[in-house]
Amino acid sequence: MSGVRVLVGTRKGAFILTADGKRDRWDIAGPYFAGWEMYHLKGSPADPNRLYASQTSGWFGQQIQRSNDGGKTWEPVGNKFEYDGVPGAHKWYDGTPHPWEFARVWHLEPSLTDPDTVYAGVEDAAIFRSTDGGQTWRELPGLRGHGSGENWQPGAGGMAVHTILLNPTQPERMFVAISAAGAFRSDDAGQTWRPVNRGLKSDFMPDPTAEVGHCVHRIAMHPSRPDVLFMQKHWDVMRSDTGGESWYEVSGDLPTDFGFPIDVHAHEPNTVYVVPIKSDSEHFPLDGALRVYRSRTGGCEWEPLTKGLPQRDCYVNVLRDAMAVDSLDACGVYFGTTGGQVYCSADSGDSWAPIVRDLPAVLSVEVQTLP
Amino acid sequence: MIRVVLPAHLRTLAQVQGEVTLAVEGPVTQGAVLDALEAAYPVLRGTLRDHLTRRRRPLVRFFACREDLSNEPPDAPLPDAVASGTEPFLIVGAIAGG
């Protein structure tokens, strides 16, 4: 029987949660790398036993860990992330120039076809690639260098490439998203990039429709329809039907259009999930009730999903990389909270149950569907 | 032999227990000890000093003989007691919350 492996990164270590296809009884393994911030773990689509993990510490910097056995054992690989050429400067919080400095890897995106190729989205915002299983890393400098980099500015959490999307049918096309710069697209496998933010409107900017400066929190796509993108922005849920050429708002009847994660059902390209969060600055669910919202119409019309989720006194957040879907016949949806809960729905969101309740604050959730 | 005490997280990373002992060629300086440490345990590269600038990471401290040597020049000699192996060179994660 097929099963799932859920990879959970937390503020104080990583955990691996496994279950069979019913997804009702779970084995919890970990903590791995106890005490370290585990920003993100992700498996290779080409070899599910090949995992990559970003291990980071304010004291001791960055490590990249690699597993060849589905997370049973790990080995540290390369941790040298050196910007290409003279790094230059971006804008600091106060608007003054600030030199580009590597801080950590936020997101690891393994190639769809080669287990040894993996992309890293880093803070300060840049994208790196390894083609030797993480041993060595080289920046794809066309992103920082395309022209607007000096105007990028950090959001409250830092200035990072936090989203990397690879197009399964057009391998040269990639998307990244940066807080707070916006969305960017490459059509030549990462060599050159351009902003793709037309239609976004951000009132915290002097020019709300400027080409860059938008605080994009997350982008998602369905692999069968890679030109359709869904975006959770720092206010506004957006959609593009043109590979990012233009965007339109699909927040519709959401109770608040602020949030961090967004994801798409594995088998229904028009079914989208968000977790509305109260903002600005509170960053917890409205009215203390944790609700996932689902649209089956590609946006605009949303329904609250509450069964099994706490509907009172809940003041956790769900961070941008902390939601994922599996691809079993009955699509599973997963998310983790800053309160340490990881929830699973084995029925596309109709009902939820906690896999685990008391982990450290969850930074990221990924899921692998295993044969 | 030079004795080096690593913080717990780096002992785990380097897969060592207790003190590390290192042979250092030439003058026993902070830089020479760190070079020898990183040569023996490459996984520690980047954890104590920045890969590029070679500067000490801000929340890493170097102590020996009850003195804070963190801001000493990398090429300054370490105390004789460290050079002779009588006292260890302590690498410490600064107390900084979290």
Side-chain angles (χ1 to χ4, degrees), chain A residues 6 117 203 213 218 269 276 295 349:
Chain A
V6 182
T117 295
D203 288 334
R218 188 72 176 163
S295 172

Short mmCIF file of all heavy atoms in Angstrom, two decimals, chain A residues 6 117 203 213 218 269 276 295 349:
data_model
loop_
_atom_site.label_atom_id
_atom_site.label_comp_id
_atom_site.label_asym_id
_atom_site.label_seq_id
_atom_site.Cartn_x
_atom_site.Cartn_y
_atom_site.Cartn_z
N VAL A 6 6.01 12.92 5.60
CA VAL A 6 5.88 14.36 5.79
C VAL A 6 7.16 14.88 6.42
O VAL A 6 7.61 14.37 7.47
CB VAL A 6 4.66 14.68 6.68
CG1 VAL A 6 4.51 16.20 6.84
CG2 VAL A 6 3.39 14.09 6.09
N THR A 117 20.69 17.71 -8.80
CA THR A 117 20.51 19.14 -9.06
C THR A 117 19.45 19.68 -8.12
O THR A 117 18.35 19.13 -8.01
CB THR A 117 20.11 19.38 -10.52
OG1 THR A 117 21.20 18.98 -11.37
CG2 THR A 117 19.81 20.85 -10.78
N ASP A 203 -0.39 48.89 -1.20
CA ASP A 203 -0.56 50.27 -0.75
C ASP A 203 0.55 50.74 0.18
O ASP A 203 0.63 51.94 0.47
CB ASP A 203 -1.93 50.43 -0.06
CG ASP A 203 -3.07 50.38 -1.07
OD1 ASP A 203 -2.81 50.72 -2.24
OD2 ASP A 203 -4.18 49.97 -0.69
N GLY A 213 8.91 45.53 -5.45
CA GLY A 213 8.68 46.02 -4.09
C GLY A 213 7.52 45.32 -3.39
O GLY A 213 7.29 45.55 -2.21
N ARG A 218 3.85 33.83 -1.18
CA ARG A 218 3.94 32.46 -1.68
C ARG A 218 3.29 32.39 -3.05
O ARG A 218 2.30 33.08 -3.31
CB ARG A 218 3.19 31.52 -0.72
CG ARG A 218 3.37 30.05 -1.02
CD ARG A 218 4.75 29.62 -0.65
NE ARG A 218 4.94 28.19 -0.82
CZ ARG A 218 6.15 27.63 -0.87
NH1 ARG A 218 7.24 28.37 -0.76
NH2 ARG A 218 6.28 26.33 -1.01
N PRO A 269 -6.98 21.17 -10.50
CA PRO A 269 -6.17 22.39 -10.66
C PRO A 269 -6.88 23.67 -10.26
O PRO A 269 -6.24 24.69 -10.07
CB PRO A 269 -5.85 22.40 -12.16
CG PRO A 269 -6.08 21.03 -12.63
CD PRO A 269 -7.12 20.41 -11.76
N PRO A 276 -6.39 32.19 5.98
CA PRO A 276 -6.49 33.64 6.25
C PRO A 276 -6.03 33.96 7.68
O PRO A 276 -6.36 33.25 8.63
CB PRO A 276 -7.99 33.93 6.08
CG PRO A 276 -8.50 32.82 5.24
CD PRO A 276 -7.70 31.63 5.63
N SER A 295 -11.11 27.12 -2.23
CA SER A 295 -11.88 27.53 -3.40
C SER A 295 -11.86 26.39 -4.40
O SER A 295 -10.79 25.88 -4.73
CB SER A 295 -11.30 28.79 -4.03
OG SER A 295 -11.96 29.06 -5.26
N GLY A 349 -9.45 18.34 2.64
CA GLY A 349 -9.75 19.48 3.49
C GLY A 349 -11.08 19.42 4.20
O GLY A 349 -11.38 20.27 5.04
#
